[in-house]
Amino acid sequence: MANTWGYGAMTNHFGDVVGHSKAIFMIGANSAVSNPIGFKHFLQAKDRNNAKLIVVDPVFTKSAAKADHYLRIRTGTDVAFIYGLLHIIFKNGWEDKSFIENRVYGMDEVREEAKKWTPEETANVTGVSAAQIIQIATLLAKTKPMTVVWALGITQHSTGTSNTRILPILQLVLGNMGKKGGGCNIIRGHDNVQGSTDMCCLADSLPGYYGLGEASWKYYAKAWGLDYKWLQDRFYSPKWMNEKGFSLAKWWQGVLQEEKTYSSSPIKALWVQGNGITSMAQTAKVQEALDKLDLLVIAEPFVNEAAVITSKQDDVYILPVGTQFETEGSVTATNRTSQWRTKVVDPLYESKTDHDVMFEFAKKFGFYDEFTKAMKMKVVNGELKEVKKEFTWPDDAADELARIVKTIGLGGWTAKRLREHQENWNLFDPISLEGHGKMKGQYYGLPWPSWTTKHPGSPILYDVDTPVSKGGMGFRNRFGLEHNGVSQLPDESVSVKGSKIKGGYPEITKDNIEEVLGIKLTEDEKRKIGTNWKTDISGIIQEKCDEAGVCVYGNAKARAKVWTFPDQTPLHREPIHSPRMDLVRKYPTYEDQKNNFRVDVRFKSEQMAQDWSKEFPTMLVTMRVVNLSGAGMLERTSKYLSHITPEMFANINPELAQSHNIQDGDMMWLHSPQGTKIKVKAQYSTRVTPDRIALPYNFAGHMQGVDMSANYPEGTKPYAIGESSNTITNYGFDIITQIPEFNAGLCKIVKAEG
């Protein structure tokens, strides 16, 4: 049971923004707070390129303070807003017609939907004025290249998947994909969020985004040197091998369900390692589930609040795990680059590293040999062999990943290469990432895909003007060769530079490699070669494609519509708890969902249960503070960082506060539609308008007015504790990923007496 929600990987990188971007369109992100180093690059782009910074956010953030244009949007209306921009762009013929014609499929449906979103209707729905919509559409269309930046403010909605689709569609319309200074630069808030996603902190895939189908499992069994049947027998029954697990968002429902609805059993034990449980929504339900568990294990360097908010007295174990300074290995940055980190000190006192905890666990349950076997293996003459009796950590772990994870191209990420980059970081240009001297011909951190140990990495995705050997590629062929009789491959006008094949071509498989590449395999190669490029342990497909200047995943059109999704083309749907019942009737949410990640999810039944805005009239917006991150477990143990924000608070407009007779610094109760409440300090601020409040999600230790600090083991209580905003985060989850609707909800304000 795990989930790290993908907001998408950066197509470009921060240095590229500094070097080339003429406009930066930031929506649903406040990188001045969540990623200050990234924001430094945006400010450099303003200085260096006179780049215009456009910030779209419900709150006047620190990023907005540096913007050339700030647009205050109503939360949960991002799709409508982008359609409003597209309406102007299409109406004036400002779209990149050639790019759309040659490299995109399904744009006609987008164009039709955009016709509905006049400036007046967009303004009515989003709260952004018609004049600003026209102004920004004009600026984006006439300023090239332009890059789009987003983060959690886009993904954390019941329509998060549509949000993350409509923004790349905007870039496709303007022809900014695959271009220097363009693309979509999605900001991760922590240094290895991209890596944790790539490595399967997800409940619906294997490492590297391999699916849960039999072919993927058999590939991994082979790559790990294991018998497939042995692997299958680790499951309660074979069918669960191919089913999604419980998501991190709704794992609690797997505990509280009264019967085996979609699983073999309710969840009875929870192991928490490397995740702030209180950074999840529905904290009251989390607490209820924690109380009901048979076993709770916390493996963290700091006390995770999961051990604090529960009333459970027995069978709660806290294992001291070392920090990142006490171990060694690689992390994957927001721009798809890998960075090697060397251990600073040995684990202190009784603590162990994450991997040692996992090794001990595997030994206890009798599968240590199988767990570590792949680290002793290598591909020799196209075949996988066990070549050593003992493994070297972490080098052999890194080499194992490089050997196995082909889908995103980690073949070049060997420990040897990553160490060389760490040792010679000064030989790389921070703007282009290009290496010099002994590192010439490589990009810093080998941004994936780095197909082989000779490949330099790919700083800009989907760049057909660069040879494959230097990081170029077209769009990936993932969805077949045609749809509704329309080819999904581009014509010869879209040829990857230096490629033997002109125009589009399919992903390369054992069955088509000879025909597509125009070659003949030897009988030995035919015996060794894998079914397709993703499962070819021999490396023959990659080798033959490299010789032909061909990208293994094909060269296809981007698709603007997804025929397997509830909304084939992104649509505006009102938040589950909307302040506008008139718009709920016009733009309703989805029908209720059955069995997604083993649970049912309410959509329309929740939205239509009542006019929520009558009882809960104030919009609820969450935010970060620069001195805390996630649940704040680590930072709140620092008296210096805690001094900056010593207690939980909410930004409230003085006009709204005074309507409730609340003075600056008064305590107030915030009530949610789910019947939960939190007690926080009112902090006057005009950053928010009188129709909404904004509060950080970085606190824990109080639950609905109850101080839980007695549950901290002696000497571990942080300097700052408080209510978690997620106790009142409204019910709502994305229909595809199940990410909670953190950033669109309602609340009721009541002054706290006494």
Side-chain angles (χ1 to χ4, degrees), residues 249-306:
K250 297 202 77 179
W251 71 271
W252 50 265
Q253 193 168 327
V255 180
L256 301 177
Q257 62 185 358
E258 295 301 323
E259 51 191 51
K260 308 184 232 177
T261 313
Y262 304 118
S263 189
S264 58
S265 169
I267 295 172
K268 296 182 179 181
L270 179 68
W271 183 294
V272 181
Q273 190 162 348
N275 190 288
I277 282 291
T278 51
S279 64
M280 294 298 103
Q282 308 296 301
T283 309
K285 287 294 185 183
V286 169
Q287 182 186 42
E288 187 181 348
L290 291 170
D291 289 348
K292 191 176 178 180
L293 289 170
D294 291 347
L295 174 67
L296 173 61
V297 180
I298 309 293
E300 296 276 8
F302 297 87
V303 177
N304 189 300
E305 270 79 15

Side-chain angles (χ1 to χ4, degrees), residues 353-369 371-372 375 391 393 397:
T353 62
D354 286 292
H355 63 273
D356 277 330
V357 170
M358 291 290 96
F359 289 160
E360 292 299 322
F361 184 92
K363 289 174 184 176
K364 180 69 175 178
F365 285 88
F367 60 87
Y368 175 77
D369 289 341
F371 190 49
T372 60
M375 287 188 282
F391 62 85
W393 181 272

Side-chain angles (χ1 to χ4, degrees), residues 17 21-31 39 42-43 45-46 50-57 59-73 81-82 85 128 132-150 167 170-171 174 176 187:
V17 174
S21 296
K22 298 297 177 62
I24 303 163
F25 182 59
M26 181 185 295
I27 180 168
N30 179 19
S31 64
F39 195 69
F42 301 149
L43 296 180
K46 283 171 62 67
N50 195 28
K52 301 304 177 187
L53 175 62
I54 305 102
V55 172
V56 184
D57 201 286
V59 177
F60 188 78
T61 63
K62 293 183 184 294
S63 297
K66 295 293 185 181
D68 298 283
H69 301 273
Y70 167 62
L71 294 81
R72 192 186 296 274
I73 191 172
F81 175 67
I82 300 302
L85 300 180
V128 179
Q132 276 192 304
I133 292 164
I134 295 169
Q135 178 189 34
I136 297 306
T138 305
L139 189 158
L140 297 182
K142 298 196 172 186
T143 309
K144 300 287 186 73
M146 177 271 291
T147 189
V148 173
V149 173
W150 78 77
L167 291 170
L170 173 66
Q171 288 294 67
L174 295 174
N176 282 319
I187 304 171

Side-chain angles (χ1 to χ4, degrees), residues 672-736:
S672 81
Q674 274 60 60
T676 55
K677 62 182 181 178
I678 59 175
K679 188 178 183 181
V680 300
K681 177 171 281 191
Q683 185 180 87
Y684 276 16
S685 176
T686 54
R687 296 171 62 209
V688 288
T689 45
D691 58 354
R692 69 196 80 190
I693 62 168
L695 60 167
Y697 59 82
N698 314 100
F699 285 84
H702 288 187
M703 276 293 295
Q704 302 196 76
V706 178
D707 185 344
M708 310 287 287
S709 59
N711 288 350
Y712 284 99
E714 184 179 352
T716 67
K717 180 184 174 182
Y719 287 97
I721 64 172
E723 296 271 14
S724 169
S725 66
N726 289 320
T727 303
I728 60 166
T729 298
N730 290 193
Y731 182 96
F733 302 87
D734 180 77
I735 198 158
I736 302 297

Side-chain angles (χ1 to χ4, degrees), residues 283-437:
T283 309
K285 287 294 185 183
V286 169
Q287 182 186 42
E288 187 181 348
L290 291 170
D291 289 348
K292 191 176 178 180
L293 289 170
D294 291 347
L295 174 67
L296 173 61
V297 180
I298 309 293
E300 296 276 8
F302 297 87
V303 177
N304 189 300
E305 270 79 15
V308 175
I309 65 173
T310 180
S311 300
K312 186 177 175 62
Q313 297 296 309
D314 299 314
D315 299 311
V316 178
Y317 298 88
I318 300 178
L319 306 182
V321 170
T323 65
Q324 62 181 345
F325 305 106
E326 296 163 285
T327 188
E328 185 168 354
S330 66
V331 295
T332 306
T334 188
N335 63 341
R336 298 173 285 107
T337 61
S338 186
Q339 295 176 315
W340 194 268
R341 289 185 174 170
T342 303
K343 182 170 65 175
V344 177
V345 295
D346 289 329
L348 300 176
Y349 309 112
E350 296 178 344
S351 64
K352 292 183 180 294
T353 62
D354 286 292
H355 63 273
D356 277 330
V357 170
M358 291 290 96
F359 289 160
E360 292 299 322
F361 184 92
K363 289 174 184 176
K364 180 69 175 178
F365 285 88
F367 60 87
Y368 175 77
D369 289 341
E370 291 83 359
F371 190 49
T372 60
K373 184 176 181 181
M375 287 188 282
K376 306 170 192 174
M377 307 184 82
K378 278 189 177 181
V379 176
V380 180
N381 294 325
E383 296 184 291
L384 191 61
K385 297 183 181 298
E386 190 168 349
V387 297
K388 55 200 299 189
K389 292 184 177 180
E390 299 295 333
F391 62 85
T392 301
W393 181 272
D395 298 60
D396 287 327
D399 291 349
E400 175 191 335
L401 295 174
R403 186 181 74 242
I404 296 174
V405 182
K406 299 178 181 294
T407 43
I408 52 176
L410 300 193
W413 283 17
T414 61
K416 180 176 181 294
R417 290 188 88 193
L418 297 180
R419 284 181 185 277
E420 286 176 344
H421 279 237
Q422 180 202 39
E423 293 163 1
N424 297 282
W425 63 268
N426 58 306
L427 297 179
F428 291 90
D429 184 275
I431 303 299
S432 66
L433 304 186
E434 293 176 351
H436 303 284

Side-chain angles (χ1 to χ4, degrees), residues 542-570:
Q542 184 69 59
E543 178 187 342
K544 301 298 182 184
C545 285
D546 288 347
E547 291 172 357
V550 165
C551 180
V552 289
Y553 71 46
N555 178 18
K557 290 185 175 183
R559 64 172 184 170
K561 69 176 183 180
V562 182
W563 47 88
T564 56
F565 278 11
D567 292 334
Q568 293 192 19
T569 300

Side-chain angles (χ1 to χ4, degrees), residues 103 109 135 177 186 194 218 315 327 498 520 554 662:
R103 298 197 67 185
E109 288 87 338
Q135 178 189 34
M177 280 297 198
I186 302 95
Q194 186 64 53
K218 286 186 173 178
D315 299 311
T327 188
K520 280 290 184 182
I662 295 172

Side-chain angles (χ1 to χ4, degrees), residues 368-522:
Y368 175 77
D369 289 341
E370 291 83 359
F371 190 49
T372 60
K373 184 176 181 181
M375 287 188 282
K376 306 170 192 174
M377 307 184 82
K378 278 189 177 181
V379 176
V380 180
N381 294 325
E383 296 184 291
L384 191 61
K385 297 183 181 298
E386 190 168 349
V387 297
K388 55 200 299 189
K389 292 184 177 180
E390 299 295 333
F391 62 85
T392 301
W393 181 272
D395 298 60
D396 287 327
D399 291 349
E400 175 191 335
L401 295 174
R403 186 181 74 242
I404 296 174
V405 182
K406 299 178 181 294
T407 43
I408 52 176
L410 300 193
W413 283 17
T414 61
K416 180 176 181 294
R417 290 188 88 193
L418 297 180
R419 284 181 185 277
E420 286 176 344
H421 279 237
Q422 180 202 39
E423 293 163 1
N424 297 282
W425 63 268
N426 58 306
L427 297 179
F428 291 90
D429 184 275
I431 303 299
S432 66
L433 304 186
E434 293 176 351
H436 303 284
K438 64 188 291 186
M439 306 310 291
K440 186 175 182 180
Q442 300 183 60
Y443 294 104
Y444 181 68
L446 302 166
W448 61 251
S450 172
W451 300 111
T452 68
T453 54
K454 296 180 181 178
H455 193 274
S458 307
I460 298 175
L461 297 180
Y462 319 126
D463 176 11
V464 295
D465 297 322
T466 298
V468 172
S469 63
K470 297 185 182 299
M473 69 202 79
F475 292 119
R476 183 173 168 181
N477 174 226
R478 295 182 59 194
F479 312 108
L481 298 182
E482 66 172 41
H483 182 253
N484 289 341
V486 179
S487 174
Q488 297 298 293
L489 303 182
D491 61 26
E492 289 194 9
S493 65
V494 185
S495 297
V496 180
K497 186 176 181 180
S499 175
K500 177 181 178 180
I501 303 174
K502 302 305 176 187
Y505 50 86
E507 62 176 349
I508 309 302
T509 69
K510 179 179 182 178
D511 292 335
N512 71 15
I513 187 170
E514 292 181 309
E515 179 184 356
V516 174
L517 298 187
I519 62 173
K520 280 290 184 182
L521 297 177
T522 67

